[in-house]
Amino acid sequence: MRRIYNRQKAVEYAQKWALARNPHFYNFDSMEGDCTNFVSQCLYAGGLPMNYKKDGGWYYASINDRAAAWSKAECLYKFLTTNKCTGPKAKVKPLEEAQIGDIIQISYDGKSFAHSLFVVSIAPILVSYHSETNAQNALFNPYVCKEYRLLAIK
């Protein structure tokens, strides 16, 4: 049975943890960054089930038992846009179609997407994220990056 994504619960989680780290999850700041880990936590808090497939899934049990899609932007994109089983699914859509609980990924170099932002408001588009400088309810500015994509959660 497919679970319904509770976007409001996901946003409430983002508001609670945007400026802090949930101790139940590893802090990836010293590795590839914590942004996609934070976004994954938000999706999970919104009721989307983990996919425990060892290769190509989306889950977190511990730092040593997790899927790459849980914490790496490009892997999350690939999982969300190709997933046909358990767990979240997404489609790339125009920014004008953003809803709360969606994800924006950005590319600073125009080659790879390395940062994930969580949409918490749509008029205007506000995002929360983890990075070197965490943000809560920050205005999304597409001009700070070379490319961006909206991952609309289905």
Side-chain angles (χ1 to χ4, degrees):
M1 183 171 133
R2 184 169 148 86
R3 290 190 197 168
I4 302 295
Y5 180 39
N6 187 324
R7 293 173 180 275
Q8 188 57 46
K9 284 204 178 292
V11 168
E12 288 168 10
Y13 183 92
Q15 297 293 23
K16 179 176 182 178
W17 293 105
L19 302 178
R21 300 294 189 266
N22 182 336
H24 290 80
F25 296 92
Y26 185 80
N27 178 352
F28 289 87
D29 283 337
S30 63
M31 296 169 75
E32 62 267 6
D34 202 57
C35 62
T36 303
N37 174 43
F38 172 68
V39 164
S40 288
Q41 291 174 42
C42 293
L43 296 176
Y44 183 63
L48 295 174
M50 293 185 189
N51 177 316
Y52 289 95
K53 185 177 174 188
K54 287 292 180 190
D55 293 320
W58 175 78
Y59 72 94
Y60 177 93
S62 72
I63 181 61
N64 297 316
D65 185 12
R66 62 184 164 82
W70 186 270
S71 57
K72 294 186 177 192
E74 287 286 357
C75 296
L76 179 61
Y77 166 78
K78 182 177 178 185
F79 175 80
L80 291 174
T81 58
T82 63
N83 181 27
K84 302 213 185 311
C85 302
T86 302
K89 298 164 183 62
K91 183 174 181 177
V92 176
K93 290 192 173 183
L95 192 60
E96 303 79 50
E97 295 183 32
Q99 296 181 57
I100 63 167
D102 285 342
I103 300 163
I104 297 173
Q105 291 188 322
I106 60 177
S107 171
Y108 294 110
D109 62 7
K111 297 175 187 171
S112 66
F113 288 82
H115 194 35
S116 298
L117 316 169
F118 194 73
V119 178
V120 296
S121 177
I122 56 167
I125 294 179
L126 302 179
V127 293
S128 292
Y129 56 86
H130 283 180
S131 72
E132 292 173 7
T133 57
N134 301 329
Q136 182 179 43
N137 305 325
L139 183 63
F140 176 63
N141 181 353
Y143 302 105
V144 300
C145 57
K146 290 212 175 190
E147 258 185 275
Y148 63 87
R149 61 186 173 206
L150 172 71
L151 297 174
I153 304 300
K154 296 182 189 178

